[in-house]
């Protein structure tokens, strides 16, 4: 006994046509084109927020350093004085930061000057472009 395995006349094959697949890919491309810029814009905002949070942490550590020693670290000592005791600093009670001084979210060093032009000390990040000035994500982020 042999079985006839050929499809019956009028029977449909299951699967997607090339046109259906292209329509789905176009829809996915349009959605990605709409969502991706909004998502990447949020990433830039989160880097700015992270920088502000790090500056706030440095402010607190610098204030504690001043309470212990009676002065802020000099420009030459920099933020490293929050992690390791500077030479000749007898009243240092640190470390004032749990870890080493991080770089800003864009991989640049934070700028520190004491005395500062805007207060006892100036603390800033030059933003995404790593240069003074700028707008948006490239703008300077400061403690003043």
């Amino acid at each position: 006994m042999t079985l006839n395995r050929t499809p019956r006349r009028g029977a449909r094959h299951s699967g997607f046509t090339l046109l259906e697949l292209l329509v789905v890919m176009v829809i996915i491309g349009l959605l990605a084109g709409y969502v991706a810029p909004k998502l990447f814009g949020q990433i830039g905002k989160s880097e700015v927020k992270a920088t502000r949070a790090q500056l706030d942490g440095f402010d607190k550590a610098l204030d504690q350093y001043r309470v212990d020693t009676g002065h802020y670290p000099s420009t030459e000592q920099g933020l490293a004085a929050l992690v390791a005791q500077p030479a000749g600093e007898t009243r240092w009670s640190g470390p004032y930061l749990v870890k080493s001084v991080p770089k800003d979210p864009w991989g640049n060093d934070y700028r520190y000057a004491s005395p500062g032009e805007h207060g006892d000390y100036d603390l800033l990040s030059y933003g995404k472009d790593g240069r003074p000035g700028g707008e948006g994500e490239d703008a300077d982020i400061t403690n003043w």
Side-chain angles (χ1 to χ4, degrees), residues 46-129:
S46 67
E47 289 172 333
V48 170
K49 287 181 182 178
T51 302
R52 290 191 193 284
Q54 285 180 332
L55 288 178
D56 186 52
F58 292 146
D59 280 336
K60 289 176 176 51
L62 286 163
D63 287 342
Q64 187 60 49
Y65 181 99
R66 187 187 62 75
V67 166
D68 290 347
T69 64
H71 57 86
Y72 290 107
S74 67
T75 301
E76 293 76 29
Q77 292 169 328
L79 296 174
L82 300 174
V83 179
Q85 183 173 3
E89 192 62 67
T90 58
R91 295 172 30 193
W92 190 84
S93 297
Y96 300 96
L97 296 175
V98 177
K99 297 180 181 178
S100 63
V101 178
K103 294 190 178 291
D104 69 15
W106 301 281
N108 302 314
D109 290 326
Y110 284 97
R111 308 291 180 187
Y112 172 78
S114 177
E117 294 178 15
H118 303 279
D120 292 329
Y121 61 89
D122 291 348
L123 186 57
L124 68 123
S125 165
Y126 284 141
K128 185 176 183 177
D129 65 355

